């Protein structure tokens, strides 16, 4: 049996859930997981439904058949085949902990994505990427060639069919044009617990303030640096006895985990943009299971 996901966003009103459930039941589908949220401040409704097609109804038939119900509630909706993996381009500079973590999760099936390319402005990780049989592209970025470099990056994204760009500690600011073109499809890991300590050297900023908690934030990239809608965050405790270097080392694990969780949420269609914020639904049962242990 095929497993699908339906995502829905619309203005909140009576009967939405009933219409969705009735349509799926009438088309031989059984709901296995469902999450919904009413934003009382905006009046927006968000819903994610996982279901199996028990009578062989295919995704194109479902899309066509759902059109009238969607129109009745002015829904923004999409059906997704859970068996299809999201194509991802990873971008990295000289900090490789997030890249290595993602490669391991990808290799064991804990992160069911299709990594179609890795782009870097340095050569540091060429060997590790090529050893995974993944195309590696080194594109140097300077003030003088930034526009051309981004054009080369976007060419790789488009030719590979990538649906998502992951900035795994890629230490270059993307242009407003690239951010707009890939809106909602670029995820960044910021080595700080935003909105505090933005910009460069956030751990140094945190150390100077004597904080007792450091953290990491994964968010969608927008033209406003470090201001994009937040997907996931986490923290770790530190003390007065630790140095800036300790902060950096301790932060690596948090950054890796937060980025992986954000990607997991995105590829499983659990993240909904809600103005400057996000709605992030819990993971469906079994979605964290790995294909193998190591």
């Amino acid at each position: 049996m095929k497993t699908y996901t339906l995502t829905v966003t619309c203005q909140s009103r009576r009967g939405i859930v009933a219409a969705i459930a009735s349509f799926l039941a009438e088309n031989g589908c059984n709901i296995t997981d469902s999450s919904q949220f009413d934003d009382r401040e905006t009046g927006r409704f968000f819903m994610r439904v996982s279901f199996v097609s028990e009578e062989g109804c295919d995704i194109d038939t479902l899309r066509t058949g759902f059109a009238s119900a969607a129109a009745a509630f002015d829904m923004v909706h999409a059906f997704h085949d859970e068996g299809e993996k999201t194509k991802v381009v990873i971008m990295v500079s000289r900090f490789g902990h997030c890249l290595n973590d993602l490669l391991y999760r990808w290799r064991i099936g804990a992160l069911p994505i299709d990594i179609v390319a890795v782009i870097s402005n340095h050569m540091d990780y060429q060997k590790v990427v090529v050893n995974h049989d993944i195309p590696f592209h080194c594109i140097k970025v300077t003030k003088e060639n930034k526009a051309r470099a981004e054009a080369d990056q976007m060419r790789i994204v488009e030719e590979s069919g990538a649906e998502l760009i992951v900035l795994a500690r890629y230490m270059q600011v993307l242009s407003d044009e690239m951010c707009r073109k890939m809106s909602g499809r670029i995820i960044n890991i910021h080595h700080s617990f935003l909105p505090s300590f933005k910009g460069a050297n956030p751990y140094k900023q945190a150390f100077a303030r004597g904080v007792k908690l450091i953290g990491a934030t994964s968010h969608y990239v927008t033209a406003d640096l470090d201001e994009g809608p937040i997907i996931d965050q986490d923290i770790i405790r530190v003390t007065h006895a630790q140095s800036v270097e300790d902060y950096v080392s301790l932060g690596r694990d948090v950054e890796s985990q937060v980025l992986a969780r954000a990607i997991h949420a995105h590829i499983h269609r659990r993240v909904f943009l809600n103005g400057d914020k996000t709605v992030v639904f819990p993971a469906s049962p079994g979605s964290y299971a790995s294909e193998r242990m190591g």
Side-chain angles (χ1 to χ4, degrees):
M1 291 185 292
K2 279 279 192 178
T3 303
Y4 301 113
T5 297
L6 168 63
T7 56
V8 171
T9 305
C10 60
Q11 285 298 118
S12 180
R13 52 185 278 204
R14 186 173 64 247
I16 300 171
V17 176
I20 293 171
S22 296
F23 170 81
L24 293 175
E26 290 164 3
N27 284 272
C29 300
N30 183 34
I31 294 174
T32 57
D33 185 54
S34 179
S35 298
Q36 67 188 70
F37 174 67
D38 269 290
D39 187 336
R40 296 188 177 184
E41 290 187 358
T42 64
R44 299 294 290 171
F45 174 84
F46 305 86
M47 189 171 188
R48 176 189 182 276
V49 181
S50 290
F51 60 93
V52 291
S53 177
E54 295 182 336
E55 297 179 9
C57 192
D58 62 67
I59 196 166
D60 290 330
T61 301
L62 291 169
R63 286 172 178 149
T64 302
F66 193 64
S68 59
F73 292 93
D74 197 20
M75 297 178 185
V76 176
H77 71 286
F79 285 90
H80 307 277
D81 185 338
E82 292 190 4
E84 294 182 358
K85 295 181 179 180
T86 302
K87 293 184 177 181
V88 177
V89 166
I90 298 175
M91 298 176 68
V92 64
S93 290
R94 308 200 91 156
F95 296 96
H97 52 286
C98 289
L99 170 65
N100 282 300
D101 180 77
L102 294 177
L103 290 174
Y104 175 73
R105 295 174 190 267
W106 162 78
R107 190 170 66 244
I108 68 170
L111 202 57
I113 57 177
D114 182 8
I115 303 176
V116 293
V118 173
I119 299 173
S120 181
N121 52 333
H122 299 280
M123 291 293 291
D124 300 47
Y125 301 105
Q126 180 194 33
K127 186 175 181 180
V128 69
V129 172
V130 171
N131 284 347
H132 283 83
D133 294 323
I134 297 170
F136 177 86
H137 305 270
C138 182
I139 301 176
K140 300 289 186 179
V141 181
T142 65
K143 290 182 180 179
E144 292 73 25
N145 80 338
K146 186 174 179 65
R148 186 173 71 252
E150 279 202 354
D152 290 341
Q153 292 165 355
M154 284 305 304
R155 176 181 52 78
I156 293 167
V157 170
E158 290 166 359
E159 289 180 356
S160 66
E163 305 155 82
L164 177 68
I165 296 175
V166 174
L167 306 184
R169 292 300 301 272
Y170 181 69
M171 308 306 287
Q172 294 286 329
V173 177
L174 303 183
S175 69
D176 291 358
E177 181 183 357
M178 189 170 181
C179 292
R180 284 192 294 268
K181 190 170 186 177
M182 295 295 292
S183 178
R185 294 190 292 154
I186 307 177
I187 293 178
N188 183 42
I189 182 64
H190 187 78
H191 43 306
S192 174
F193 196 61
L194 293 174
S196 300
F197 311 122
K198 302 175 184 178
N201 298 315
Y203 288 131
K204 187 175 182 180
Q205 297 176 49
F207 177 80
R209 291 293 302 274
V211 303
K212 307 306 178 192
L213 295 170
I214 58 172
T217 301
S218 192
H219 61 94
Y220 287 117
V221 175
T222 64
D224 296 321
L225 184 65
D226 299 336
E227 297 285 349
I230 292 170
I231 307 170
D232 203 304
Q233 296 181 291
D234 209 344
I235 55 173
I236 188 171
R237 289 192 172 276
V238 291
T239 75
H240 63 278
Q242 286 156 339
S243 66
V244 174
E245 292 76 19
D246 290 329
Y247 280 31
V248 173
S249 296
L250 290 166
R252 289 186 189 127
D253 286 342
V254 183
E255 293 167 27
S256 299
Q257 292 175 44
V258 168
L259 180 58
R261 290 204 302 260
I263 296 169
H264 189 277
H266 178 92
I267 65 173
H268 285 95
R269 322 293 176 179
R270 296 193 283 114
V271 187
F272 293 72
L273 289 171
N274 185 22
D276 293 329
K277 302 186 293 184
T278 58
V279 173
V280 184
F281 287 127
S284 295
S287 64
Y288 281 112
S290 301
E291 294 173 359
R292 58 183 189 272
M293 293 299 295

